[in-house]
Amino acid sequence: PFLSVYFFSLARFFAAMSADNVDVQYLVQHNVPQLIDGLVKQLVENKPEKGAIFGFLRQALMRKMMKFGGGTGPGANLDCCATNPDNYKVIAECAGGRLVEMTLPAGKGDLPHDHPVHYLYVVTGGKLKLSPPPGHTEGSAEVEMPSGAAMVIPPGPHQVTNVGTTDVKILFVEPIIGGEPASLSDFVSPFTVMPECYKILAEDDDWLIGKMTLPMGATDPPHSHLDHLVYVCEGDGLTIYPGKQIGDEKMEVPIQPGMSLPVPAGHHSVKNTGTKDCDLIFFEQKPKPGAMMKFGGGTGP
């Protein structure tokens, strides 16, 4: 009986996808029967509860859409969240990728796994042994990961051991293949309009890691974002004013440290209406060349 439930759920899962969804773009470009066969095998092997099937399928499909480092060594093409569910958890996701929280107690290690290129922020630092270190296929290295550090890590498999004396917490975003950001006209960068509160910590051509530090009672000017994933380090209350100008419409958002959420592309202004300064880390997709241009169009030459 469970097989019939899985097949019915799989059919509903694909039927629920909209025509512009990144999942559909991926399906069109790949061998659909082979993909479905792989998903069915994962369902049979893992036997998720009926109420958890859609979430299981979504994560399974997302793993297939990530460009791992690959190779033939230990951990190649293995998802960190599947191989180490106690240490790696997806805490937010958007069309372009997923935000993963890694927790590794002092003296403990994880099982070998793989990553695509990923964008990393250290919440609570420590000393880690990486086998192999980023960009290598063999060997190991012990590295200090200070709290507040941010970096872009190349793809590849590895195994991590916490050789320090403190528990480590790290956030990182793993992008998915074909996850293009939504386009947005009249884009205004927060790093331009309020550089004293918005800083870029690390970036490449596709994503950036940013930090917002907004004092209690302060309001930033209207600005823009593409799809981004947010993690709260400090703060207890924000008010969002949507649009290109501050108006009467507003949305009060209670926040707390450790909270994470996806935020869609758009224009807004933010006021810290809490009782303490607010620190947010955000991982934001960058526009592709020409994505921000709004041509006149028409049918003429």
Side-chain angles (χ1 to χ4, degrees):
F2 68 87
L3 277 177
S4 62
V5 172
Y6 289 162
F7 278 114
F8 178 69
S9 297
L10 190 61
R12 288 182 57 221
F13 175 72
F14 286 121
M17 295 177 179
S18 61
D20 60 350
N21 192 289
V22 64
D23 297 334
V24 174
Q25 296 176 23
Y26 178 83
L27 292 175
V28 169
Q29 298 169 8
H30 292 73
N31 188 321
V32 177
Q34 182 179 351
L35 179 63
I36 292 176
D37 180 63
L39 291 176
V40 170
K41 287 180 179 178
Q42 291 192 48
L43 285 170
V44 173
E45 290 173 1
N46 292 274
K47 295 182 174 60
E49 296 293 330
K50 185 176 180 180
I53 292 176
F54 265 45
F56 178 88
L57 286 170
R58 171 65 186 163
Q59 287 302 317
L61 186 58
M62 180 168 278
R63 288 194 294 271
K64 288 181 175 292
M65 295 162 67
M66 291 191 295
K67 190 175 182 180
F68 290 113
T72 58
N77 299 305
L78 295 179
D79 172 37
C80 61
C81 296
T83 56
N84 298 273
D86 293 334
N87 304 110
Y88 296 85
K89 300 183 186 301
V90 178
I91 58 174
E93 59 183 315
C94 64
R98 65 180 189 176
L99 177 59
V100 178
E101 181 183 74
M102 167 195 168
T103 54
L104 198 59
K108 301 294 184 180
D110 60 21
L111 296 175
H113 56 274
D114 206 343
H115 294 284
V117 58
H118 51 297
Y119 305 86
L120 182 150
Y121 178 81
V122 182
V123 179
T124 306
K127 189 174 185 179
L128 300 178
K129 181 180 180 181
L130 307 177
S131 305
H136 296 266
T137 57
E138 57 185 20
S140 63
E142 294 186 1
V143 295
E144 293 287 349
M145 301 288 281
S147 300
M151 59 201 78
V152 181
I153 306 294
H158 66 187
Q159 188 270 331
V160 183
T161 303
N162 185 343
V163 294
T165 58
T166 58
D167 296 348
V168 170
K169 179 186 287 188
I170 289 175
L171 306 173
F172 57 87
V173 161
E174 294 179 315
I176 60 175
I177 299 171
E180 301 292 339
S183 60
L184 194 65
S185 61
D186 302 324
F187 188 89
V188 177
S189 170
F191 306 107
T192 300
V193 297
M194 204 172 190
E196 65 272 25
C197 291
Y198 287 87
K199 306 291 183 184
I200 294 177
L201 304 181
E203 64 180 326
D204 65 5
D205 292 339
D206 300 312
W207 285 76
L208 66 82
I209 305 171
K211 182 176 183 179
M212 181 193 86
T213 301
L214 195 62
M216 182 177 62
T219 303
D220 60 21
H223 58 274
S224 316
H225 290 280
L226 296 186
D227 293 340
H228 56 297
L229 297 160
V230 174
Y231 182 86
V232 180
C233 295
E234 192 63 59
D236 56 12
L238 295 173
T239 297
I240 310 297
Y241 297 89
K244 300 177 183 179
Q245 296 181 342
I246 299 176
D248 294 334
E249 184 181 356
K250 63 181 181 180
M251 180 174 60
E252 296 181 354
V253 183
I255 60 174
Q256 61 183 10
M259 177 180 176
S260 59
L261 66 157
V263 182
H267 311 279
H268 66 207
S269 178
V270 181
K271 181 176 182 178
N272 183 349
T273 47
T275 62
K276 58 185 70 176
D277 293 350
C278 178
D279 284 336
L280 303 180
I281 299 298
F282 59 95
F283 303 79
E284 183 168 343
Q285 287 186 272
K286 287 185 171 182
K288 297 300 180 185
M292 296 300 180
M293 296 181 184
K294 191 173 182 181
F295 293 106
T299 57

